[in-house]
Amino acid sequence: MNSVFGSVFWLLVTLGVLVTFHEFGHYWVARRCGVKVLRFSVGFGKAIWKRIGKDGTEYQVAMIPLGGYVKMLDAREGEVDPALAGQEFTAKPVWQRIAIVAAGPAFNLIFTLFAFWLMFIVGKPDVAPVIAAVPQSIAAQAGVQTGDRILSVGGRAVQTWSDSMDVVANSLLGRDPLPMQVRGTDGATRNLVLPLDHLPAGQDIGQYLDELGLKLAPSPAVVALVLPGKPASVGGMQGGDRVIGLNGTAVDSYEEFQRLVPQEAAKSPTLAIVVERGGKTLPLSVTARMESLEGQPTNWVIGVQFAQREPAVLRYGPLKAIGGSLEMTWNSAASTFNMIGKMLTGQASTKNLSGVIGIAQVANASASMGMGWFFSFLAMVSLSLAILNLMPIPVLDGGWLLYYLIELVKGSPVSERAMMAGQYVGLVMLFTLMGLAFYNDIHRFLPT
């Protein structure tokens, strides 16, 4: 799928599902509270399909698939038939109005739990957190060595590379020293501290990660398969061989060997390859050929496949997945609130905000990595929608909840004039936030 088309498609799927589920929360609780729902729309704009239900609600699918909305009977929007006065929204007790407004974010939270549960059931394919450090980087200064396996970060046990980096990325926002426990290639456990306080203020996560220099360890130069009849087979290479040298250059990883083969073969097709087999060192002579393997562009090849990084799949049974979902939701919510708090206090840069373009890119990338990754992405966006909507900003659910809480305290509704003023302020705040996120998305495409 074309990356642009894929990004747009998965963005529409994401927003369509999550916003519709959010609006269904408002709809469902409104009906339970006896409020008449005039319209439930999936999408915005002109209807392409609609019907009137037995309950009198107009259900429709609209042309612009960017979420949906619920229209309730509301005296603030026009005359209300006296016969329906008891089903009008503003006539309901304040606690029912609070329940109706809070239902949207609550349903997003329920969806988050369900999506994380599905993620654990389906499984999220990943790689083991076996790491290395860029020379002279902060990770290198902290004592990270090639082949170290991360056991825990910030006191949280981790099983996969992405789990590890989730904790690291959240910690980078505050730039506080981060404890990390690793197990080295010798089997010994070491406790390290990543000195994130050495990072300069005001940068985004991508820049911080570059300066941190923590990365996956390179794939080992261990032959997994020798293709029959190819130069490597003719030259005597076997599965299980560890390549340690090529034309006098030491080889430490598959990536290095892959780079050296065409470089050296262009000088002379006959390659002097040294392998380690059964504890012994063997010199071999392999004559490379110019070929195209598995549809790849023509290049110098010898016909071997190498062992990949150690896989690690995050997968639980149905019951254990419930606990995992609760824990993941709690940790993700804490991380999100932590990020918001640090941005408000100036400890974290607003450059970390992403808008619709960033969401579209991540949606497409996660979908291409498998359903487990996409369910994880849906859960995180759903949780973000829940938290965003609960912020006390007029025009958002949190703003209405603030009005109703004030009404509970003072015993009378907030004046219409005050509510209108709040709506204008809320729109300015919301568009400012959206504009900043959009600017960040565009800025990431520009050369620095």
Side-chain angles (χ1 to χ4, degrees), residues 362-425:
V362 179
N364 186 45
S366 61
S368 67
M369 294 166 70
M371 290 309 298
W373 281 90
F374 189 62
F375 285 138
S376 175
F377 168 75
L378 284 177
M380 289 301 303
V381 177
S382 185
L383 181 62
S384 297
L385 283 174
I387 292 173
L388 176 65
N389 271 283
L390 285 174
M391 294 179 68
I393 299 175
V395 312
L396 297 179
D397 292 333
W400 290 108
L401 288 174
L402 179 62
Y403 290 148
Y404 298 145
L405 289 174
I406 293 173
E407 181 178 340
L408 274 176
V409 173
K410 67 191 287 280
S412 61
V414 176
S415 70
E416 187 173 334
R417 183 176 179 180
M419 291 179 67
M420 287 298 295
Q423 297 298 89
Y424 286 123
V425 171

Side-chain angles (χ1 to χ4, degrees), residues 179-361:
M180 183 169 69
Q181 187 178 67
V182 301
R183 184 170 61 239
T185 54
D186 59 357
T189 299
R190 307 193 317 278
N191 292 310
L192 309 176
V193 177
L194 299 177
L196 304 186
D197 52 326
H198 291 181
L199 292 166
Q203 296 185 349
D204 62 29
I205 290 292
Q207 292 171 305
Y208 283 149
L209 287 172
D210 288 342
E211 293 189 41
L212 177 61
L214 191 65
K215 63 178 184 177
L216 283 169
S219 301
V222 176
V223 177
L225 177 67
V226 178
L227 301 179
K230 297 297 181 182
S233 176
V234 175
M237 293 185 73
Q238 299 178 8
D241 285 350
R242 176 182 290 273
V243 179
I244 59 175
L246 193 157
N247 283 3
T249 301
V251 174
D252 297 319
S253 67
Y254 157 66
E255 289 81 4
E256 191 170 6
F257 182 75
Q258 189 180 43
R259 177 183 62 83
L260 284 172
V261 166
Q263 177 181 305
E264 294 298 315
K267 301 174 185 176
S268 171
T270 302
L271 305 175
I273 298 177
V274 181
V275 302
E276 188 179 82
R277 181 189 304 164
K280 298 180 180 179
T281 299
L282 300 176
L284 302 173
S285 179
V286 176
T287 303
R289 300 178 194 164
M290 282 289 288
E291 291 186 17
S292 172
L293 293 178
E294 299 179 352
Q296 297 298 314
T298 302
N299 203 350
W300 291 103
V301 299
I302 63 171
V304 293
Q305 294 179 1
F306 283 82
Q308 300 300 306
R309 289 189 175 97
E310 180 185 340
V313 179
L314 193 60
R315 180 184 286 121
Y316 295 155
L319 290 179
K320 188 177 180 181
I322 295 174
S325 174
L326 289 168
E327 181 182 6
M328 187 73 77
T329 301
W330 176 266
N331 288 335
S332 300
S335 297
T336 303
F337 281 115
N338 179 54
M339 180 182 73
I340 293 172
K342 291 185 183 300
M343 285 185 182
L344 291 175
T345 58
Q347 292 177 273
S349 173
T350 54
K351 294 176 183 178
N352 295 298
L353 288 172
S354 287
V356 65
I357 297 175
I359 293 173
Q361 290 177 314

